[in-house]
Amino acid sequence: MTVRVDSPAGLLLAAGEGSRLGRPKATLELDGERLVDRGVRMLRDAGCSPVLVVTGAEPIEVIGAVVVPNADWRDGMGSSLRAGLAALPPGCPAVAIALVDQPLVTAEAVRLLLAAREAGASIAVASYGGAPRNPVVLAAEHFGPVAEAAVGDVGARGFLRAHPELVTAVPCDDVAAPDDIDTPEDLAAFNAALNAAPDRRPNGRR
């Protein structure tokens, strides 16, 4: 895989076991595509290179991405974030971080965050209804501090809340949604919505 060190990387967190769902979320299929593949495609379409996928509960092969196994995945999302940040290539200027269970996050949302970084934001966070959610773009100077603050299931949230002066909120209501898949009912609702409107596919898929 060709890696451009001047490009922002993409980091997809996909290590969890999906305890409420009854199976790991990464290999769930939505509209005939695994969630992990949707997430990788979304980040690549946004211009991220390389794209890294942090795995844990289930070994996964992913085309078009660098797989980063996280042996400590049971410790929570923080361990996956630390593993992913540690695996970024030297000289990587920024990273877009997304979660595998949010299939309505789009490449356009990531592009908006990357544009905010280009305009001077060192941390850009997607907001919906005025509330910060995912994805998040971090400039390189924050990789270390964010990793140090990532414990348990907190991920980057603890660092962002402790340093609001560093955060630029980017409204993404018109281009994405932060809805996640946590239960079998959630998955059924997502599939039903797609079947009811087959001309509208998350991430622009037709």
Side-chain angles (χ1 to χ4, degrees), residues 57-204:
E58 181 175 351
I60 306 171
E61 292 186 4
V62 187
I63 296 174
V66 177
V67 174
V68 180
N70 173 23
D72 298 322
W73 63 268
R74 291 180 180 83
D75 293 341
M77 187 188 303
S79 68
S80 291
L81 180 56
R82 293 195 304 273
L85 291 174
L88 292 173
C92 177
V95 62
I97 303 166
L99 307 182
V100 75
D101 65 350
Q102 294 183 328
L104 300 184
V105 168
T106 62
E108 180 59 26
V110 175
R111 284 192 288 265
L112 289 175
L113 299 182
L114 293 175
R117 188 189 76 86
E118 290 292 332
S122 63
I123 300 177
V125 178
S127 69
Y128 307 88
R133 294 288 299 273
N134 292 294
V136 174
V137 166
L138 302 175
E141 62 261 33
H142 300 303
F143 294 173
V146 168
E148 290 179 6
V151 294
D153 275 322
V154 172
R157 188 170 64 246
F159 180 85
L160 302 184
R161 288 180 175 174
H163 301 279
E165 74 282 0
L166 300 176
V167 177
T168 298
V170 179
C172 291
D173 305 80
D174 294 337
V175 298
D179 307 63
D180 49 17
I181 297 178
D182 282 334
T183 65
E185 292 75 20
D186 293 339
L187 179 61
F190 269 82
N191 278 310
L194 288 176
N195 291 332
D199 59 326
R200 298 184 64 189
R201 302 297 190 201
N203 297 341

